[in-house]
Amino acid sequence: MLPRELERQSVLIEKIGSFPAGVPVEFTTTARRKVQGGLGPVTDDAVHLNTSNGETVWMFDEIRSVRRLDRRGFGVVHRLLALLLATVCGLSAADLRSKALDIPNGAKVEIQTNAREKIAGLLRGVAEEGITVEIAATHPGPPRLIAFEDIKSLKWRRGGVHPIVGVAFVLGILMGISALIGG
């Protein structure tokens, strides 16, 4: 057997060995046939499978893959959606800290806390434990330290014109110039 096949087979043996006895499984054989049944005893070189036709014995080199039937698996789309949701919904404290370090001191920031509080102000410092923010003029007071664990999201509110407004402005100027020239 080739080393690649030996590795695949050892992973398969380990996977099947981790399943509890009696769990419903589906084997795909090397002949691309699917066989379903309850998992029986597992030996060093074979697996017993309790099928509707009785008990069958399968050698590990005859099995291409195995799948548990008692657990619904995530498809590729579900996995991508779960990854996207995890990315959008929350950043870890380390990610928040690195994001905060990218923002210059004195920049306008907007923080959404886990308690659903929105805090707008100026970034005054980044420490190991959190972010120091000078609250906006509507709520004057001393700078406030907000712990990374309490932060749900951090946004850098850059000043300037929204890109769509900029494009509309440029198009308006070009249309005005073309009207004067063509006019």
Side-chain angles (χ1 to χ4, degrees):
M1 238 185 224
L2 296 172
R4 188 174 183 179
E5 276 296 307
L6 284 173
E7 183 178 346
R8 185 194 62 78
Q9 190 172 347
S10 67
V11 168
L12 186 68
I13 292 169
E14 188 176 320
K15 186 175 183 180
I16 292 173
S18 70
F19 293 161
V23 69
V25 294
E26 178 182 77
F27 291 151
T28 303
T29 66
T30 53
R32 301 206 189 275
R33 189 175 136 215
K34 295 192 184 277
V35 182
Q36 294 181 356
L39 187 64
V42 179
T43 62
D44 290 339
D45 56 349
V47 177
H48 295 259
L49 191 67
N50 300 318
T51 63
S52 57
N53 298 334
E55 184 177 30
T56 58
V57 179
W58 293 89
M59 303 299 286
F60 280 111
D61 58 353
E62 296 176 307
I63 302 170
R64 183 181 182 119
S65 66
V66 64
R67 178 173 71 103
R68 281 182 74 160
L69 298 176
D70 62 338
R71 294 186 180 165
R72 184 178 170 98
F74 280 112
V76 174
V77 173
H78 291 106
R79 288 181 184 162
L80 288 173
L81 286 174
L83 179 64
L84 178 66
L85 185 62
T87 304
V88 169
C89 287
L91 297 171
S92 69
D95 291 340
L96 280 170
R97 186 172 191 287
S98 65
K99 186 175 182 179
L101 287 171
D102 290 340
I103 301 172
N105 280 343
K108 293 180 182 179
V109 293
E110 188 176 291
I111 298 171
Q112 176 83 34
T113 65
N114 291 329
R116 297 185 182 194
E117 178 186 6
K118 270 193 177 178
I119 301 168
L122 302 176
L123 181 69
R124 292 298 177 203
V126 179
E128 286 292 323
E129 60 275 355
I131 300 171
T132 305
V133 177
E134 186 178 310
I135 307 299
T138 57
H139 298 74
R144 181 173 163 192
L145 178 67
I146 303 165
F148 286 120
E149 295 83 34
D150 298 335
I151 297 174
K152 184 175 182 180
S153 70
L154 171 65
K155 293 180 185 173
W156 177 9
R157 296 188 331 185
R158 294 183 175 105
V161 179
H162 194 277
I164 294 175
V165 174
V167 168
F169 183 71
V170 169
L171 286 175
I173 290 174
L174 290 174
M175 289 174 60
I177 291 172
S178 67
L180 287 174
I181 294 174

